[in-house]
Amino acid sequence: MIKTDILIIGAGPTGLFTVFEAGLLQLKCHLIDALPQPGGQCAELYPKKPIYDIPGFPEVLAGDLVDNLMEQIKSFEPGFTLAERAETIEKLEDDTFLVTTNKGTQHNAPIVAIAGGLGSFEPRKPPIPNIANFEDKGVAYMVKDPEVYRNKKVIIAGGGDSALDWSIFLADVAEEVTLVHRRNEFRGALDSVEKVKELKDLGKINLITPGEVDGLQADENGHLASVIIKKKSEATEEIQLEVDHFIPLFGLSPKLGPIADWGLEIEKNAIKVDNALDYQTNIPGVYAIGDVNTYPGKLKLILCGFHEATLMCQSAYKKIYPDKKYVMKYTTVGGVTGFDGTKK
Ligand code: FAD
């Protein structure tokens, strides 16, 4: 079981900055995120888009902001449980919380900070009736570790940036890459479309458009063995292809998900908090910060998440150490321990 002071659900910008603010108070943090990488919406939805309203940065790419936040918290050595969704919460007899993920990983902490943004990003799945039987047996909806596909036969479906980018990347890793899209035109960046066409001409990507994966077949162990593709030309043609992996990349849709069943007060798909005080929810010890919360005048902005994280950590410190007197100090003056690991 993973034990920490503050268990943060969601490794978006709000969750990451919480680690820094907690670290200044010498509180340890562990983060859980359903995505395989930290950064939340910034990393998943718009890493190459500039942001103009982060104080002190006239312009910063969302992906670079995430890299900077990771650098800023490095010395506090936060723990990460990635590619797992926080599923259940239980209050234990000692007043701490036990949070278990969909993969069964257990986390224990006196404070839970929900920084879940728009909710966990759930993959959009293609309507193939038996697809659930193949999850973790050849079918994956996101690429967590490209090495899994080394020297394998891979089929990717989709027409956006993820499908194009991973087809290009895996062309050098996998034995065979097939990209299937139901239209002839792709939605992704033009240079990626051009690159895919180049790789097709070089025989490194097998491109099937317009087409759709319509059926999946198993080997004797229940692992994916082949797919049936419907290629639409004048007459629909059925192609059977032997593959090891099928990766449908049809985007992710955010859902508040299991957190909605944790007994929290919810209003319009967001968690109600006490913003006059410390962003605590109706469950003492459970806070909600960043895009996931709501209160009068709420703005879903990164800098608001940073502010909420800061006040929340002060309150968490008082809860964990009710008898200790904490005097707030600036990171630039004496007495603050930890932001670079040394006593200042
Ligand atoms: P998120 O970034 O949404 O991160 C939440 C994380 O929690 C996600 O990674 C999710 O997977 C995880 N999660 C949720 N539930 C669970 C669970 N049960 N288990 C495990 N993990 C879970 N804001 C600005 O301030 N300036 C801008 O210029 C700006 N531009 C934007 C442009 C676009 C296109 C978009 C989409 C948003 C923009 N925003 C901007 C908004 C900004 O991205 C959000 O305010 C910010 O990402 C909120 O951060 P967060 O950490 O609260 O949540």
Side-chain angles (χ1 to χ4, degrees):
M1 171 151 24
I2 295 162
K3 280 182 177 280
T4 189
D5 294 322
I6 303 182
L7 180 65
I8 304 168
I9 296 162
T14 306
L16 295 178
F17 192 64
T18 307
V19 177
F20 181 77
E21 287 297 327
L24 293 180
L25 303 171
Q26 295 188 328
L27 299 175
K28 280 268 163 213
C29 293
H30 187 94
L31 300 107
I32 307 178
D33 205 295
L35 294 172
Q37 80 283 325
Q41 293 172 52
C42 293
E44 188 61 33
L45 302 181
Y46 61 104
K48 300 283 180 213
K49 180 188 143 337
I51 305 178
Y52 302 103
D53 55 354
I54 303 298
F57 286 92
E59 180 180 331
V60 60
L61 294 183
D64 290 347
L65 176 67
V66 173
D67 291 346
N68 287 348
L69 285 164
M70 289 295 284
E71 181 62 29
Q72 195 172 17
I73 63 176
K74 204 161 91 188
S75 65
F76 296 120
E77 299 174 349
F80 285 91
T81 300
L82 294 176
E84 295 189 28
R85 191 181 57 226
E87 201 76 19
T88 59
I89 190 165
E90 193 185 327
K91 182 121 188 205
L92 303 181
E93 272 177 13
D94 63 358
D95 251 10
T96 63
F97 296 94
L98 177 69
V99 173
T100 308
T101 67
N102 58 328
K103 297 265 164 81
T105 313
Q106 294 190 316
H107 307 78
N108 177 239
I111 300 290
V112 173
I114 303 174
L118 304 173
S120 64
F121 290 97
E122 304 290 327
R124 291 198 184 92
K125 302 181 183 181
I128 302 169
N130 61 346
I131 194 159
N133 302 344
F134 292 95
E135 288 168 8
D136 290 331
K137 289 182 178 169
V139 169
Y141 304 105
M142 49 178 96
V143 177
K144 291 175 194 161
D145 175 9
E147 278 306 307
V148 168
Y149 306 105
R150 185 163 295 280
N151 302 328
K152 302 283 184 198
K153 292 180 179 164
V154 179
I155 175 162
I156 294 176
D161 282 315
S162 296
L164 292 165
D165 291 351
W166 280 119
S167 299
I168 295 165
F169 186 90
L170 292 178
D172 278 335
V173 176
E175 179 191 330
E176 195 178 285
V177 173
T178 302
L179 174 60
V180 184
H181 180 40
R182 63 196 165 96
R183 296 205 175 87
N184 280 324
E185 306 74 35
F186 286 89
R187 292 186 318 278
L190 273 181
D191 60 329
S192 307
V193 177
E194 286 308 312
K195 182 81 189 156
V196 162
K197 286 184 180 153
E198 254 173 54
L199 289 168
K200 179 194 171 226
D201 293 341
L202 290 169
K204 295 189 87 175
I205 289 180
N206 175 20
L207 191 59
I208 302 183
T209 63
E212 271 177 273
V213 174
D214 194 50
L216 307 175
Q217 293 171 337
D219 62 15
E220 65 276 14
N221 300 317
H223 194 278
L224 183 67
S226 60
V227 298
I228 309 289
I229 301 165
K230 281 215 165 119
K231 184 169 178 347
K232 293 173 202 151
S233 36
E234 275 153 36
T236 301
E237 186 191 339
E238 217 172 72
I239 305 170
Q240 181 171 7
L241 206 69
E242 274 183 32
V243 291
D244 302 298
H245 296 276
F246 172 40
I247 318 172
L249 296 173
F250 294 160
L252 301 166
S253 69
K255 285 204 180 79
L256 193 51
I259 293 171
D261 304 322
W262 286 8
L264 298 158
E265 256 187 85
I266 309 272
E267 193 179 271
K268 289 190 196 136
N269 217 25
I271 304 169
K272 274 176 92 173
V273 291
D274 178 357
N275 71 311
L277 207 58
D278 54 6
Y279 304 98
Q280 212 162 168
T281 66
N282 58 311
I283 304 179
V286 177
Y287 297 76
I289 47 177
D291 275 17
V292 80
N293 74 13
T294 183
Y295 52 83
K298 167 74 186 176
L299 287 179
K300 292 191 179 190
L301 285 175
I302 295 166
L303 74 94
C304 297
F306 291 167
H307 165 80
E308 293 163 12
T310 309
L311 296 193
M312 176 252 130
C313 285
Q314 299 285 324
S315 170
Y317 181 87
K318 286 181 202 138
K319 262 190 184 297
I320 296 175
Y321 300 113
D323 302 327
K324 273 199 200 170
K325 191 165 162 31
Y326 171 74
V327 182
M328 214 282 287
K329 295 211 176 79
Y330 299 118
T331 54
T332 46
V333 295
V336 178
T337 305
F339 77 98
D340 64 356
T342 57
K343 200 159 188 92
K344 300 275 161 188

